[in-house]
Amino acid sequence: MADHNVTNRTEDRNQEESLSAINGSLGGVIQYQTNGNLSATGRSQADSSTFAGGSSKQLPPEIARITMGYLPLSDLITRLVQETFNGITEVVNEMSELQMPQPNGSIPVNPLQGNVQKKTRLLVFAQDRRAKFIKILVLSQWSRRAESISRVIDMKVWLDAQTRQYDGACTWIGELRRIMALERMPNPDLKTALEALSMGKVPGLPDLGYLPPKQVPPQRFLKALRGINTQLTIRLRLHEPIPPPLKNYSISNGRVTFRVPNEFEFDLSVADENPFSQLYFIDFRFLFSPTPAGIPQGPLRDDLEARINILLGHDGLKGCYEFLHNFVLSHKLNIFRHQAYRMSQTSWSEHLKVEAVHRSLIIQYWVTRPGAKSWIELGIRRRNVKRSSWLHEEEDEPHIGIRWFCTGKEVVDIPLIIDLGDLSVEAILKQIISAHTNAIFKETKTNLREGHLYAQKTLRLRHTRSTIEPAAISLSVQLTISQSCTIIQEPVSGRMVLLPPSSLYSRAERDLNGLISPEKTAATCIANLRSTASCEEVERTLQCYGWAIANSVRPNQDKVRHHFGRETLRASFFRKKTWDAQWLFAFTASLAGDSWWIVELDNSSSRVDQTAAPGPSIRAAFKVLSTANPVTLRELSYPELFQIEATAAGMISQHTDSRQLALQKIPHRLVETSSTRPSSNFPALYIRLPKSRVHPTLKTQRFAKMPRYSQVLRLSFVGTDESDSYANHLVTAQSNCATLRSRALDSMDEESVTFHPTSGAFAFRLRTAVGTSAIPGLLGCLAKIQRLIDYMSVVQASKIHKFSLRHVEFTYATEPHDLRAKITFIGEGPPQISFEHGNPHLRIQNQLTVLLRGPDGLKHVILLLAVTLSLMRALAAMETVHGDDKVSILSRSAEWYQIRLPNQRGRFDLRLRRRREEFMWFVEEASLPDGKKTDSRVHERFRSMINGKGDGWSGMSPGIVASLSGVEGLLKKMDDVFQNVSAMEPAPNTEVPDYKAQKRKREDDEDEIVVLD
């Protein structure tokens, strides 16, 4: 076994040496392992150390492992399972959708036919799945040997690469040998060269014996040329039929020169005097550029000369002309093709597509633009022309022709001028692009002219045209009074460019370049651009003036056109801080003109249209009545904006007022008025307040006396305040109140309400936020006026100093000096009464205020002021004499008072009573708290007064009764009686507390209010 291994190792080493020699020459290495297989490293593992130690070469790279494109078997199985599940689901659905056949008359129906179809469908699916799972089974068995198979694949790839290297090396060696054979130079003939250089001739070369030509004298040469000229003249005039294109010819120098403008000219001559012999070709020259003047000597010229001479011999001048004409046309097409290819590779790269088809050249321009394609076709066309009268037939005359397809449609009449003498495909393409651009801008201008702004030349449109230079074509559009743009179209790419550059124009430029048919829809994009520019300009202006943009209102285009008109393209919404949140100010822009609108929002929570944009929806929109367009006619200034704002505020106010009156079912009517003031030129709202059918909001005690003034009111809008933008309203009515008529006008200190002293008419201003109805304020102001009339009717007997809707000040007593009372109305709150400092009624000011709020409160207060005046003076005098440390007076109500002696010696109640239609004051002894008894001496003194009698007062058990005028003397008498008792020491109280008296006292301590009828 050891000898066998040594023998195999020796044979392997011999194979390695022979293969290493070959591999060294070609750059490859092939070595074997001891078991006969190739090693992954390319050499024998047994001899690797020997090879590494005995050679200075580096080890070759390892065999690359092929891993690209391998997929895990689990992914394949998962995908097959998922696909099977999806497939069985579809099969079940299809089986459920199969309809059972229904019986139709006498035709029998097999009830099992539907079941057979379902089973067949299920079996077909199961068979297909079974085949695929069998393949997966085979792959799973092969995967158990995946590592070995992967090594085999790697080895196979490596061997194929080595084979390609060997084949490439052999091919390269053979090709090198073939090329070098052409580069081999012959050996020099030094002997012949020395003879030629030294002797001037080589005797060894053969001599053909040619005789040199004789020299022709110039006279003879000139005579011969003149003879040829004469023969050519006679022949062309008498014998030779000349085609019409060759009628332009000249004869000189023994040759006839035929000239075809912008194509070619050629020279012919004769060889003998026979008039029927053929003409011979002499020379040919091109008459257009870019091309050389003639054809240089060479194979092309020789072939051309031979073919022309053959045609002259067979077909004469006609055949010669047709050949040369077609030759020149083909040459011109080649020049056009080379120019087009050069353009597509240089300055027009990626925007030009050139294709040569037979004898035609197709050039597509604006390749990157969307939409239908546009191209031109250059080719040879034929037209029917009558060649000459001698031919008596019509033939086709070929020529260079152009067909233009603009956006897929052929244009019949092409405004094109082709210079066939100076060929330039770029010039032709520029003319076509100029015509295309002019057509787009012309159609766009026509579409824009359909709008009112451009039709009436309110905004300018200017189309600059050019037929040869598309870069000079432009369309200038005036967007607003202060903003214009210029639209140009790049000749190369066909992109629309808007100048000057801006962010607004960049968006419009992107939209224009995305259009499929710009000649039809470019006007719409420009109209949108104009609307956007106009709205943004107004937004900037209004923001400077304190308006806020309502970004939350974003209606879609359908809603915008529904509320603002079909021609409206864009709308901007603005909000004023002082306006009601339900109302907005809107500006719309369109080609028909720009307009101002007032917009009412629908803030209801329910949304019917689920496709609408988020945010509040528009309930209604009303166009603002304005005589001038602020954007398109002139720049928007602050006075104009204030006028428009005032107009909008008036419309909103009238709308809200009319709606409020309609909801309350109050009759009203709008009547047109004429005024020189723009803010007052609004219809006046006439309101008729009902007598019998009154809205529940009017059924109050204040409005029960509505006949005091006229039932027809006039509500007019008179403008807005510049400071806070509040709306001002003027209400006028007629009053029949004699009190107001008798008062002078200057007695009013209220600026918002004025009364006429003779006619009884009155007017007042209302100031409300825009969007808020003035009707509640109007009704409230009428209530205040009615209250004022009621109050003045009550106090008209008194001296009124001031009266207004805020207060009424009058004098209710003059003895011993004037005593004034002031009734103040604070907003919607209850009225309050106040007195000056030193007024004795300050004691019961709060009680009088409470009484003033009741029904007929002012009459009650006026009465109480009169009946309590004497008492108030007496109590004030008592407090002044004794001070708070001796006598205290408690006002339980306006009709009930209590006088408390110091040291709890006694208490006395004073109550107002009415007896026999006369008011009297009743004084009685009050119980002390905690069951205490009144001082016996105080009690005895008071009992003595009960038994007594005085001026205006008399005792009446269990108290004292005094008249209104006598109560002052009674209190003075009581003060004198109890003054001495107060200075004494208090008597001891040893009596048992009277619990019944304590209970009665607790009941008396509670506040009591006596209502006088």
Side-chain angles (χ1 to χ4, degrees):
M1 178 63 68
D3 295 340
H4 178 70
N5 291 336
V6 171
T7 304
N8 290 339
R9 187 178 299 110
T10 303
E11 292 178 356
D12 292 342
R13 185 179 295 110
N14 294 333
Q15 291 178 358
E16 286 182 6
E17 291 177 356
S18 60
L19 291 175
S20 297
I22 299 175
N23 194 18
S25 61
L26 298 178
V29 177
I30 300 178
Q31 295 177 345
Y32 291 87
Q33 292 181 354
T34 55
N35 58 1
N37 296 327
L38 280 173
S39 173
T41 60
R43 60 173 47 89
S44 174
Q45 295 178 352
D47 299 337
S48 60
S49 58
T50 304
F51 181 80
S55 176
S56 63
K57 296 182 180 180
Q58 296 180 356
L59 295 175
E62 295 190 6
I63 297 176
R65 297 297 303 271
I66 306 300
T67 59
M68 184 180 300
Y70 285 5
L71 294 176
L73 184 61
S74 60
D75 292 352
L76 184 60
I77 296 174
T78 302
R79 182 170 298 181
L80 181 60
V81 171
Q82 184 65 36
E83 183 179 355
T84 304
F85 177 77
N86 296 338
I88 193 63
T89 304
E90 293 178 0
V91 169
V92 171
N93 293 335
E94 290 179 2
M95 293 171 61
S96 63
E97 293 176 357
L98 289 177
Q99 299 293 334
M100 299 296 294
Q102 301 295 330
N104 185 9
S106 60
I107 301 177
V109 177
N110 186 5
L112 300 178
Q113 185 177 358
N115 296 332
V116 171
Q117 293 179 357
K118 294 180 181 179
K119 293 178 180 180
T120 303
R121 179 70 182 88
L122 185 60
L123 289 176
V124 169
F125 173 78
Q127 185 176 3
D128 177 67
R129 294 292 98 185
R130 178 177 178 275
K132 291 187 178 182
F133 275 102
I134 290 174
K135 294 178 182 179
I136 290 296
L137 177 61
V138 174
L139 291 176
S140 64
Q141 294 177 353
W142 275 95
S143 64
R144 296 183 179 91
R145 294 179 292 174
E147 184 65 25
S148 301
I149 294 175
S150 178
R151 292 183 179 180
V152 172
I153 292 174
D154 297 341
M155 189 65 65
K156 177 64 168 57
V157 172
W158 184 82
L159 289 175
D160 291 343
Q162 296 298 317
T163 303
R164 287 193 297 272
Q165 291 181 4
Y166 286 131
D167 294 341
C170 295
T171 302
W172 179 78
I173 293 174
E175 185 67 19
L176 181 63
R177 180 178 180 184
R178 186 184 66 81
I179 295 174
M180 295 300 295
L182 298 177
E183 301 296 332
R184 179 184 299 174
M185 297 181 61
N187 296 328
D189 189 358
L190 299 178
K191 180 180 178 181
T192 305
L194 290 174
E195 291 181 355
L197 294 174
S198 59
M199 301 175 60
K201 62 179 180 179
V202 181
L205 294 179
D207 188 4
L208 301 179
Y210 290 128
L211 297 176
K214 296 180 180 181
Q215 295 292 333
V216 180
Q219 295 81 6
R220 185 178 178 184
F221 187 75
L222 182 59
K223 182 180 179 180
L225 292 178
R226 288 175 178 175
I228 295 173
N229 292 342
T230 302
Q231 292 181 12
L232 288 173
T233 303
I234 294 173
R235 180 169 180 174
L236 293 177
R237 290 183 179 274
L238 299 178
H239 304 287
E240 191 72 28
I242 303 175
L246 299 180
K247 289 296 184 180
N248 183 15
Y249 65 89
S250 62
I251 299 174
S252 63
N253 299 328
R255 63 181 67 183
V256 56
T257 301
F258 294 96
R259 183 182 181 88
V260 180
N262 295 328
E263 289 193 14
F264 60 89
E265 65 178 7
F266 63 98
D267 300 336
L268 301 179
S269 187
V270 293
D272 52 29
E273 299 179 356
N274 186 2
F276 299 104
S277 63
Q278 77 169 52
L279 298 172
Y280 289 94
F281 174 80
I282 301 299
D283 197 4
F284 176 84
R285 293 173 297 279
F286 293 107
L287 296 181
F288 58 90
S289 61
T291 187
I295 300 177
Q297 296 292 335
L300 177 61
R301 182 180 178 87
D302 295 342
D303 183 68
L304 182 64
E305 181 178 354
R307 297 191 63 178
I308 291 176
N309 287 330
I310 293 174
L311 291 172
L312 288 172
H314 288 81
D315 300 328
L317 291 176
K318 176 185 176 183
C320 178
Y321 167 74
E322 292 179 352
F323 171 74
L324 291 177
H325 181 62
N326 287 316
F327 171 72
V328 170
L329 293 180
S330 299
H331 184 51
K332 285 184 177 181
L333 286 178
N334 287 331
I335 294 175
F336 283 140
R337 186 178 73 251
H338 288 301
Q339 290 179 351
Y341 277 121
R342 192 181 308 113
M343 290 172 58
S344 64
Q345 296 172 0
T346 55
S347 60
W348 295 66
S349 177
E350 298 181 359
H351 302 288
L352 207 65
K353 184 177 181 181
V354 182
E355 184 178 358
V357 180
H358 302 295
R359 294 183 71 186
S360 299
L361 178 65
I362 301 175
I363 303 175
Q364 179 187 350
Y365 61 92
W366 297 350
V367 176
T368 57
R369 274 199 64 88
K373 300 178 181 179
S374 299
W375 69 92
I376 60 173
E377 293 183 4
L378 289 171
I380 298 176
R381 301 181 64 179
R382 295 181 180 272
R383 59 186 175 187
N384 293 330
V385 297
K386 198 169 185 178
R387 302 292 291 273
S388 62
S389 59
W390 54 268
L391 196 58
H392 300 293
E393 62 180 0
E394 292 184 356
E395 294 185 359
D396 292 339
E397 176 70 19
H399 65 283
I400 297 291
I402 295 180
R403 298 175 66 191
W404 177 27
F405 291 85
C406 179
T407 61
K409 298 179 181 179
E410 184 177 2
V411 180
V412 179
D413 297 329
I414 306 176
L416 185 64
I417 300 175
I418 302 177
D419 187 5
L420 296 178
D422 185 10
L423 303 181
S424 175
V425 73
E426 185 174 5
I428 295 173
L429 195 58
K430 283 186 176 182
Q431 292 187 56
I432 295 295
I433 293 176
S434 298
H436 195 170
T437 304
N438 282 324
I440 293 175
F441 286 170
K442 180 181 178 181
E443 186 69 20
T444 302
K445 182 179 179 181
T446 303
N447 294 336
L448 289 176
R449 289 284 188 190
E450 295 178 358
H452 177 77
L453 294 179
Y454 295 105
Q456 300 298 326
K457 297 185 179 179
T458 304
L459 298 178
R460 296 187 303 273
L461 277 177
R462 186 178 64 183
H463 179 199
T464 303
R465 295 176 176 84
S466 177
T467 58
I468 58 175
E469 184 55 51
I473 303 173
S474 63
L475 180 63
S476 298
V477 182
Q478 184 183 8
L479 304 178
T480 63
I481 193 65
S482 61
Q483 192 172 2
S484 301
C485 72
T486 301
I487 306 174
I488 62 175
Q489 192 167 22
E490 293 181 357
V492 177
S493 63
R495 290 181 55 84
M496 297 284 187
V497 179
L498 274 71
L499 300 176
S502 66
S503 59
L504 174 63
Y505 294 166
S506 63
R507 296 193 298 268
E509 185 177 313
R510 183 175 62 252
D511 296 339
L512 284 173
N513 292 321
L515 297 177
I516 296 178
S517 299
E519 62 277 359
K520 297 180 181 179
T521 55
T524 304
C525 289
I526 297 175
N528 290 329
L529 172 63
R530 197 215 74 80
S531 302
T532 303
S534 182
C535 289
E536 290 186 355
E537 189 171 295
V538 171
E539 287 175 1
R540 290 192 297 269
T541 304
L542 264 66
Q543 282 181 323
C544 294
Y545 292 147
W547 289 81
I549 301 176
N551 294 321
S552 60
V553 182
R554 296 192 298 264
N556 54 31
Q557 191 64 24
D558 295 336
K559 294 292 183 181
V560 170
R561 292 180 177 177
H562 172 71
H563 291 286
F564 304 107
R566 290 171 32 184
E567 297 180 349
T568 303
L569 298 177
R570 177 164 175 171
S572 296
F573 301 92
F574 307 94
R575 193 185 301 277
K576 195 77 170 180
K577 292 182 179 179
T578 56
W579 284 22
D580 188 83
Q582 192 176 0
W583 289 93
L584 299 178
F585 197 36
F587 175 81
T588 60
S590 66
L591 291 182
D594 300 337
S595 304
W596 297 98
W597 298 74
I598 54 174
V599 177
E600 184 181 10
L601 299 180
D602 186 5
N603 296 323
S604 59
S605 58
S606 60
R607 298 181 57 87
V608 179
D609 188 5
Q610 299 297 332
T611 61
S617 59
I618 298 176
R619 180 179 181 181
F622 307 95
K623 192 172 184 180
V624 177
L625 303 177
S626 181
T627 57
N629 194 314
V631 177
T632 57
L633 296 182
R634 57 183 180 272
E635 293 185 2
L636 184 63
S637 61
Y638 180 76
E640 293 173 352
L641 178 61
F642 182 74
Q643 176 184 345
I644 297 172
E645 179 184 345
T647 306
M651 295 178 62
I652 293 174
S653 299
Q654 287 189 348
H655 183 79
T656 53
D657 293 342
S658 299
R659 178 181 295 175
Q660 185 71 17
L661 292 172
L663 291 176
Q664 296 183 0
K665 299 180 180 180
I666 300 177
H668 61 280
R669 181 166 58 95
L670 289 174
V671 179
E672 295 290 338
T673 59
S674 59
S675 176
T676 57
R677 295 178 56 190
S679 60
S680 300
N681 194 14
F682 282 96
L685 187 62
Y686 285 85
I687 306 170
R688 178 179 296 276
L689 296 178
K691 291 184 179 180
S692 58
R693 183 175 54 84
V694 182
H695 193 268
T697 57
L698 303 179
K699 291 180 180 180
T700 61
Q701 186 178 3
R702 298 292 184 187
F703 288 92
K705 301 179 180 180
M706 198 66 72
R708 286 188 177 272
Y709 46 81
S710 176
Q711 292 182 344
V712 177
L713 306 176
R714 184 176 185 266
L715 177 62
S716 304
F717 174 79
V718 293
T720 58
D721 290 338
E722 250 184 274
S723 58
D724 52 10
S725 300
Y726 268 68
N728 294 322
H729 307 269
L730 180 63
V731 182
T732 57
Q734 188 75 23
S735 175
N736 53 7
C737 180
T739 304
L740 295 179
R741 291 185 179 183
S742 62
R743 297 295 175 180
L745 183 63
D746 55 357
S747 63
M748 285 293 299
D749 63 350
E750 181 70 29
E751 298 180 355
S752 61
V753 181
T754 57
F755 291 90
H756 197 276
T758 58
S759 65
F762 65 91
F764 59 88
R765 286 179 177 270
L766 292 175
R767 188 169 178 271
T768 61
V770 177
T772 303
S773 177
I775 302 302
L778 182 146
L779 299 179
C781 193
L782 289 179
K784 293 178 182 178
I785 294 175
Q786 184 62 48
R787 179 178 58 187
L788 176 63
I789 294 174
D790 294 342
Y791 279 27
M792 293 187 65
S793 299
V794 174
V795 300
Q796 60 182 350
S798 303
K799 182 180 178 181
I800 301 177
H801 298 279
K802 296 180 182 180
F803 70 96
S804 68
L805 297 182
R806 292 197 298 264
H807 61 268
V808 175
E809 185 175 353
F810 59 94
T811 299
Y812 64 89
T814 58
E815 294 295 338
H817 56 81
D818 291 347
L819 296 178
R820 293 185 181 183
K822 183 178 181 181
I823 300 176
T824 305
F825 311 109
I826 304 175
E828 299 295 334
Q832 295 182 0
I833 189 169
S834 60
F835 302 94
E836 298 177 348
H837 180 70
N839 193 309
H841 282 97
L842 277 174
R843 183 185 309 276
I844 59 173
Q845 176 176 318
N846 295 334
Q847 288 83 350
L848 293 178
T849 300
V850 174
L851 294 175
L852 186 63
R853 299 173 186 176
D856 295 330
L858 183 59
K859 292 182 180 181
H860 195 179
V861 169
I862 295 296
L863 180 61
L864 285 177
L865 290 175
V867 300
T868 60
L869 179 59
S870 299
L871 177 64
M872 293 298 107
R873 285 201 298 259
L875 294 177
M878 185 180 294
E879 285 184 342
T880 303
V881 172
H882 295 281
D884 295 338
D885 55 342
K886 294 183 178 181
V887 177
S888 61
I889 300 172
L890 176 64
S891 300
R892 293 186 176 275
S893 68
E895 300 90 3
W896 182 11
Y897 304 91
Q898 189 176 83
I899 301 175
R900 298 180 179 181
L901 298 179
N903 299 324
Q904 295 187 1
R905 294 189 175 187
R907 295 183 181 183
F908 301 95
D909 289 337
L910 286 82
R911 299 175 186 266
L912 185 64
R913 294 287 187 264
R914 189 170 184 176
R915 181 182 181 188
R916 299 175 184 175
E917 301 299 328
E918 183 180 358
F919 289 101
M920 294 182 179
W921 289 101
F922 182 72
V923 182
E924 62 180 348
E925 188 178 0
S927 302
L928 293 176
D930 299 331
K932 294 181 180 180
K933 289 289 185 177
T934 306
D935 192 334
S936 59
R937 289 170 294 181
V938 173
H939 178 72
E940 291 298 330
R941 294 290 180 93
F942 183 71
R943 295 298 298 177
S944 64
M945 290 185 65
I946 293 175
N947 297 327
K949 185 178 182 182
D951 185 11
W953 61 273
S954 63
M956 185 181 293
S957 182
I960 304 173
V961 177
S963 63
L964 297 180
S965 59
V967 68
E968 191 171 359
L970 174 63
L971 292 180
K972 186 176 181 182
K973 178 66 176 175
M974 291 178 64
D975 186 31
D976 295 338
V977 170
F978 299 134
Q979 187 172 5
N980 296 327
V981 179
S982 300
M984 300 177 181
E985 290 296 331
N989 188 2
T990 58
E991 298 181 5
V992 180
D994 188 357
Y995 293 101
K996 294 184 178 180
Q998 293 181 12
K999 181 178 180 181
R1000 186 170 61 253
K1001 181 61 179 65
R1002 284 195 299 270
E1003 294 176 354
D1004 293 340
D1005 286 339
E1006 297 178 359
D1007 292 343
E1008 179 180 349
I1009 298 177
V1010 179
V1011 179
L1012 301 179
D1013 51 3

